Amino acid sequence: MCGIVGYVGKRNSQEILIEGLKKLEYRGYDSAGVAVYTNEGLQIKKSKGRLAVLESKLGEAPLAGHIGIGHTRWATHGKPSDVNSHPHTDNSSKFSVVHNGIIENYIALKEELIEQGHVFVSETDTEVISHLIASVYEGDIVKAVQKAVTRMRGAFALGVLTEYEPEKLVAVRLSSPLIIGVGEGENFIGSDIPAILEYTRNVYILNDGEMALLTKDGVTLMTLEGNFISREIFRVDWDIVTAEKAGFDHFMLKEIYDQPKAYRDTMGARIDESGSKVVMPEVRMTEQQIRNIRNVHIIACGTAYHAGLVGKSVIEKLARIPVETDVASEYRYRSPIITPETLVIVVSQSGETADTLAALREAKKNGARVVAVTNVVGSSVAREADDVIVTWAGPEIAVASTKAYTSQLIAFYLFGLYLGQTLGTIEPSYVSEVLAEMQQLPEKVEQILSQTGAIKEIAERIVAHKNLFFIGRGLDYAVALEGSLKLKEISYIHSEAYAAGELKHGTLALIEDDIPVIALATQEDLFEKTVSNIKEVKARGAQVIGLNIEGETELAKVADEVFSIPHTHQLLAPALSVIPLQLLSYYASLALGHDVDKPRNLAKSVTVE
């Protein structure tokens, strides 16, 4: 979940490294550093804090050279500090390494290297890599990296330089994303495409167990065993502007406003011209394979897990197949019952989430078919799954996910309808009805976005409280969980979400005078029961902010304040009801003066367990 960038060519590498790291700072921002080969040899500058701190240092004492590596860090081993920042070197300072991921056996390697006389200065696992490469170097940096990698266990993406071979940059990937940018007389590495898109649209996407040797004149791809690889260049067809704020104050706000387009793009060609049928050519299961599905496991982390909870209800209702939802970090360790009749759906915005990848591999090992829902073409889950449903949300930069989450909802609606129409568990008229409503969602999101003033006022009131609760039933409960997560991750207000029917089983003890309770009541068949739960918290002094469907009038009689979303099919309500909750979180964070796009202690892409 850190950011890597590297350059070799004719230009000043420092400038390219810094600009690339700016595009990746959302991946890690507690420290940053660069290593550049200069006339004085391999020179390193790094510092704790945001990238601006490093940029200031380099402004005072720039590093001039045509090859370099850079890194922006999210701490895993060792607290944020200058010495723990990347790049790391060996004792001779002749080798330099940047690293994403975790080296699981670093302690054993470190002890072995200390016995050989190596002296370590940081708390990181990464420093071990630079010492290990130095210890096996015999004049060929590629072979030295290959030897070192065979000793390492864990997940890693590496960029490696040595003063002994100053025209070469080595890149390695194992379970952590890394791409190669191909230019004219210059080449690049990056942990994500935005880092290099300003300079080239031609990329190689490294697979697990692959490495690359870059010089200014070319790129050589090979396996970690040294076997050469031939691969076509992937052409990036989206614009760098989509990764910028486009006039909004924050990426998160821009991405909230991007959602109507993301809905349209994700639906795209997956609805036939008549509007009465879902078409999903990317799902290559035959009708018989679909009929053979006996159960579905949905596996994801965080926000993607909350999308999976909606997906569970959608698939069970439409396809009548039992569905389990699992937090990916727990899935492997509970010995799940997986058979060839199990369909596993993994959900990951980045497609690189370590726990989700591990669960995917566990499922495949046990014979299950895997469908991936991801926002990144060419990501690990996309390559390793049997079928891939890409969510066309576009790049999402803010740490708190918004448009990636709602695009995942759209993907689940489409997939649920696809399963249902294939199995005959829903009538064609029902499919047409839901699809017609789905195609109106973008316009209805725009209606909600026109009412941000009312949500901003609510947000500015709730920030006076240290605790807050969300309640809901059915699909509303799934959305309440996501609303609560958004609020706490960017405003730092303690927030919890509960199934409204569970209040009497302990939660009511936490309700006291004036505590805000946000009550979702968009599900018609559960509305009366939800109202009863609202009365329970009102009787104990809570201030209730209700969220209902436009045209419903009863909620206003029991809640202190009501915000209404446009009328839609009950099944699709989460795609609308989450929008005001996203805005609520945004404005609460803003009112408290926090960094909306980069909340403390969090990173965008969680590529370690």
Side-chain angles (χ1 to χ4, degrees):
M1 64 192 90
C2 307
I4 284 176
V5 64
Y7 174 78
V8 55
K10 300 175 182 178
R11 291 193 259 185
N12 184 327
S13 62
Q14 175 185 302
E15 294 176 6
I16 291 170
L17 297 177
I18 291 299
E19 288 306 309
L21 291 177
K22 286 179 180 177
K23 303 296 192 302
L24 297 176
E25 197 176 9
Y26 67 92
R27 296 178 68 98
Y29 42 84
D30 57 40
S31 60
V34 297
V36 175
Y37 182 76
T38 71
N39 291 334
E40 289 76 40
L42 200 55
Q43 300 288 309
I44 294 174
K45 289 259 177 85
K46 53 186 185 176
S47 59
K48 175 186 174 182
R50 294 290 172 85
L51 184 59
V53 179
L54 174 67
E55 194 172 12
S56 177
K57 280 187 178 182
L58 290 170
E60 296 171 2
L63 301 178
H66 303 300
I67 183 169
I69 50 177
H71 190 270
T72 181
R73 180 176 185 251
W74 186 84
T76 58
H77 290 62
K79 64 184 179 182
S81 68
D82 287 1
V83 73
N84 285 334
S85 306
H86 297 215
H88 286 283
T89 67
D90 68 310
N91 291 146
S92 70
S93 296
K94 302 295 186 183
F95 298 85
S96 183
V97 174
V98 289
H99 164 225
N100 290 353
I102 287 177
I103 307 304
E104 294 174 353
N105 62 331
Y106 86 99
I107 294 176
L109 291 171
K110 186 173 184 178
E111 290 173 348
E112 178 185 321
L113 289 162
I114 289 172
E115 287 181 5
Q116 296 174 13
H118 292 256
V119 177
F120 289 81
V121 298
S122 79
E123 304 167 86
T124 69
D125 55 339
T126 304
E127 189 184 0
V128 169
I129 305 171
S130 55
H131 286 265
L132 186 59
I133 293 171
S135 73
V136 298
Y137 182 74
E138 295 178 343
D140 187 325
I141 186 58
V142 172
K143 290 182 178 178
V145 171
Q146 289 169 340
K147 287 180 183 178
V149 165
T150 63
R151 301 287 315 281
M152 293 154 46
R153 293 200 313 271
F156 44 85
L158 306 178
V160 182
L161 292 179
T162 178
E163 189 172 308
Y164 296 119
E165 298 177 67
E167 299 301 320
K168 295 179 180 178
L169 168 58
V170 178
V172 180
R173 176 194 171 135
L174 187 68
S175 300
S176 191
L178 199 65
I179 56 102
I180 310 296
V182 181
E184 295 184 7
E186 59 184 3
N187 293 294
F188 312 78
I189 66 172
S191 47
D192 206 350
I193 288 171
I196 64 170
L197 194 55
E198 183 178 343
Y199 309 105
T200 182
R201 293 180 175 277
N202 296 324
V203 304
Y204 292 119
I205 299 172
L206 289 184
N207 295 321
D208 276 354
E210 294 181 351
M211 63 186 298
L213 171 63
L214 290 76
T215 67
K216 65 181 176 59
D217 298 316
V219 175
T220 304
L221 303 180
M222 65 193 85
T223 66
L224 295 181
E225 294 75 31
N227 299 317
F228 294 107
I229 299 168
S230 177
R231 176 169 301 150
E232 290 186 8
I233 284 176
F234 175 74
R235 178 77 177 173
V236 180
D237 60 5
W238 45 269
D239 197 281
I240 190 65
V241 175
T242 62
E244 302 297 339
K245 293 179 185 175
F248 289 91
D249 290 338
H250 298 92
F251 281 115
M252 183 179 178
L253 188 60
K254 173 189 176 294
E255 288 155 11
I256 289 172
Y257 276 79
D258 281 347
Q259 287 174 116
K261 182 179 186 299
Y263 284 25
R264 292 186 183 100
D265 290 347
T266 300
M267 284 184 274
R270 291 168 175 152
I271 302 175
D272 75 354
E273 292 183 2
S274 70
S276 61
K277 187 177 181 181
V278 177
V279 288
M280 303 195 84
E282 64 268 52
V283 177
R284 297 186 297 273
M285 285 184 284
T286 65
E287 180 177 331
Q288 189 56 51
Q289 286 174 317
I290 291 174
R291 292 190 179 281
N292 288 342
I293 297 169
R294 293 292 171 263
N295 62 324
V296 175
H297 295 178
I298 297 176
I299 307 164
C301 301
T303 286
Y305 173 73
H306 296 157
L309 292 174
V310 175
K312 168 185 166 68
S313 294
V314 168
I315 292 171
E316 288 188 335
K317 178 178 178 61
L318 301 181
R320 307 309 296 156
I321 302 171
V323 181
E324 298 179 21
T325 51
D326 264 286
V327 175
S329 58
E330 294 291 325
Y331 185 71
R332 289 185 293 159
Y333 305 111
R334 68 171 182 84
S335 299
I337 300 171
I338 307 169
T339 73
E341 288 74 41
T342 302
L343 177 67
V344 173
I345 303 174
V346 296
V347 192
S348 170
Q349 181 275 139
S350 68
E352 303 293 348
T353 310
D355 287 314
T356 306
L357 264 171
L360 180 158
R361 290 163 182 161
E362 179 74 10
K364 293 203 73 171
K365 185 175 73 175
N366 285 277
R369 190 178 186 95
V370 177
V371 174
V373 177
T374 183
N375 195 42
V376 181
V377 176
S379 62
S380 292
V381 301
R383 292 196 308 278
E384 296 188 30
D386 298 292
D387 308 281
V388 184
I389 302 172
V390 176
T391 55
W392 298 108
E396 189 177 70
I397 304 302
V399 168
S401 179
T402 52
K403 65 178 181 175
Y405 165 79
T406 48
S407 296
Q408 289 162 1
L409 297 186
I410 299 298
F412 272 119
Y413 291 137
L414 290 168
F415 189 55
L417 288 166
Y418 180 76
L419 292 177
Q421 73 186 19
T422 302
L423 295 170
T425 49
I426 46 179
E427 294 294 328
S429 59
Y430 182 88
V431 177
S432 298
E433 175 191 343
V434 175
L435 289 177
E437 289 287 344
M438 282 183 68
Q439 291 178 89
Q440 294 178 39
L441 288 174
E443 181 181 339
K444 292 177 179 180
V445 172
E446 289 167 352
Q447 291 176 37
I448 296 171
L449 294 174
S450 70
Q451 303 175 62
T452 57
I455 300 168
K456 187 170 184 283
E457 288 180 10
I458 296 170
E460 290 172 348
R461 290 200 303 273
I462 67 170
V463 297
H465 299 269
K466 294 182 178 179
N467 298 288
L468 186 144
F469 295 98
F470 289 74
I471 61 173
R473 285 174 174 263
L475 288 172
D476 283 337
Y477 173 49
V479 178
L481 286 164
E482 175 60 13
S484 176
L485 176 62
K486 280 292 153 288
L487 185 69
K488 56 191 164 194
E489 69 183 334
I490 65 168
S491 76
Y492 318 145
I493 296 172
H494 173 250
S495 170
E496 299 294 339
Y498 291 98
E502 290 294 293
L503 287 170
K504 291 185 283 294
H505 298 280
T507 312
L508 279 176
L510 300 173
I511 303 300
E512 53 191 15
D513 283 347
D514 294 325
I515 196 165
V517 174
I518 297 174
L520 283 74
T522 71
Q523 301 297 295
E524 185 179 349
D525 54 347
L526 294 167
F527 182 80
E528 290 183 355
K529 293 185 181 297
T530 302
V531 167
S532 295
N533 300 136
I534 291 171
K535 289 179 178 179
E536 290 170 354
V537 296
K538 280 292 294 175
R540 288 154 180 84
Q543 293 292 313
V544 176
I545 301 157
L547 195 153
N548 67 352
I549 296 284
E550 191 176 57
E552 189 282 314
T553 59
E554 294 301 308
L555 190 61
K557 298 176 182 178
V558 293
D560 297 284
E561 191 168 356
V562 173
F563 185 91
S564 299
I565 61 172
H567 188 274
T568 189
H569 192 286
Q570 182 171 291
L571 192 70
L572 305 177
L576 297 179
S577 60
V578 75
I579 308 296
L581 304 186
Q582 293 171 345
L583 289 164
L584 186 77
S585 303
Y586 171 79
Y587 286 116
S589 180
L590 202 64
L592 291 168
H594 298 319
D595 189 334
V596 173
D597 288 333
K598 302 185 182 86
R600 66 189 183 197
N601 302 331
L602 300 177
K604 181 65 176 171
S605 180
V606 184
T607 56
V608 296
E609 287 191 67

